[in-house]
Every structure is written in structure tokens, then in C-alpha cells.
Amino acid sequence: MSRNRYVGDYRIVESIDARGRVKSDYEYIGAPYVYAGDATAVKAARSRVARCCAVGWAAWLSALIPISAAMRALYVALPFAFAAIPLALTAGTAVSLFREKEPFEHRHADRLENRAPACTFFLALLGVIALIGEAVNALRGAQLLPGDAVFAVCAAVVVACAILCHRQWRRLRCIMEVPHN
């Protein structure tokens, strides 16, 4: 059912090319969507989301470089490794913020309203789980390495970036454009 969610928003357009072959293309006929906020707030929110994603990726990758006990404990390493999935989805949405021009399609509006906030929530959740696992690792007396401090700082930066991104989505809310008569 979700595969055909936007099928009513498109129409197939057929044309004949120079060789006499029928060429099929599609055309968006759904309702146009625009940002609900003013242009300056939207521009600022888009750049904040892009910067947070860049810093988040840098922190996530930096946490993997030093040798640490955190990455040897599965209850720390797995949540942190799986945090790459919502981080990648959030970064993809951040790229689409600059690629899609107003008015945009229903699909893009749904991504901003539904998928993007959920991705940043799960990114923060997975980062917090990794930080809690690192704390448990330290409390149970595991041999901590200097790389564990780097890991903890980088994981905290990923969580902070996720929270900052999550706060920006309300500034990027979408509404259906009202046709002017």
C-alpha cells in the first residue's frame, strides 16, 4: 500500500519522439506544497540542519577512529553503529531541502513532516543508549582506554546534533498552497 501512496499525484504523459516511438513520462498533478514559515526562517533552518548533519557525521566517524573499550562492548557499539542509519536518512533529507524548490510535491512534504523528525528522534535515542552503555562500562570497572573519552565526546556531539536538528523541523513545516483566484 505504501508503494502506491502517491500514485494519484501523478499522470502519465505519452508523446511521440522523432523516430515515431511512443515515449512515456510522468507529470505531477497533485497539490503544491510550500513552507509554512517565512523565507528567512526557512533558510536559516535549512542551513542549521545541513551544518548539524555535517558535524554529526564528522563526530560519528571520529568516534570510530581511536581504539576504545566502548567499541568492543556490543551494548555500546551496536546502538552507535546503527545510529548511522537515521543519520544518513537525516542527511538525505537535508540535501533535499536545498534541491527541492517551492512549490514542491506531496512526497517531499511528507518526508519533512513525518520521516525527518522520527529519524532525528531515533538518532538521539541510539546515541543516548550508546552513552549509557559507555557509562555502564565505566561503572562496572572495565579497562578504559584514552579513546573512550573521544568516543564519549563524539557520541554526545551526535546526540546534540540530533536534538538541534529535531528542533528545526517545526520551522520547516509544510502546508498545501492555496490557489489564488
Side-chain angles (χ1 to χ4, degrees), residues 129-148:
I129 291 171
L131 282 172
I132 291 171
E134 176 69 2
V136 167
N137 220 8
L139 289 175
R140 73 177 182 98
Q143 177 69 32
L144 297 180
L145 302 170
D148 286 309

Side-chain angles (χ1 to χ4, degrees), residues 38-78:
D38 62 337
T40 57
V42 167
K43 186 175 180 181
R46 288 188 327 188
S47 64
R48 282 187 205 115
V49 168
R51 282 192 303 247
C52 284
C53 286
V55 170
W57 271 116
W60 189 84
L61 291 170
S62 297
L64 301 178
I65 293 172
I67 298 172
S68 65
M71 293 310 285
R72 294 176 187 210
L74 284 178
Y75 54 88
V76 179
L78 284 179

Side-chain angles (χ1 to χ4, degrees), residues 10-98:
Y10 295 93
R11 169 177 49 199
I12 295 177
V13 178
E14 294 179 343
S15 60
I16 299 176
D17 63 2
R19 294 185 175 184
R21 288 187 253 167
V22 176
K23 182 179 175 187
S24 296
D25 203 6
Y26 64 92
E27 175 183 27
Y28 181 73
I29 58 170
Y33 285 80
V34 294
Y35 292 113
D38 62 337
T40 57
V42 167
K43 186 175 180 181
R46 288 188 327 188
S47 64
R48 282 187 205 115
V49 168
R51 282 192 303 247
C52 284
C53 286
V55 170
W57 271 116
W60 189 84
L61 291 170
S62 297
L64 301 178
I65 293 172
I67 298 172
S68 65
M71 293 310 285
R72 294 176 187 210
L74 284 178
Y75 54 88
V76 179
L78 284 179
F80 193 74
F82 282 119
I85 296 169
L87 185 57
L89 291 172
T90 303
T93 303
V95 168
S96 74
L97 288 172
F98 293 98

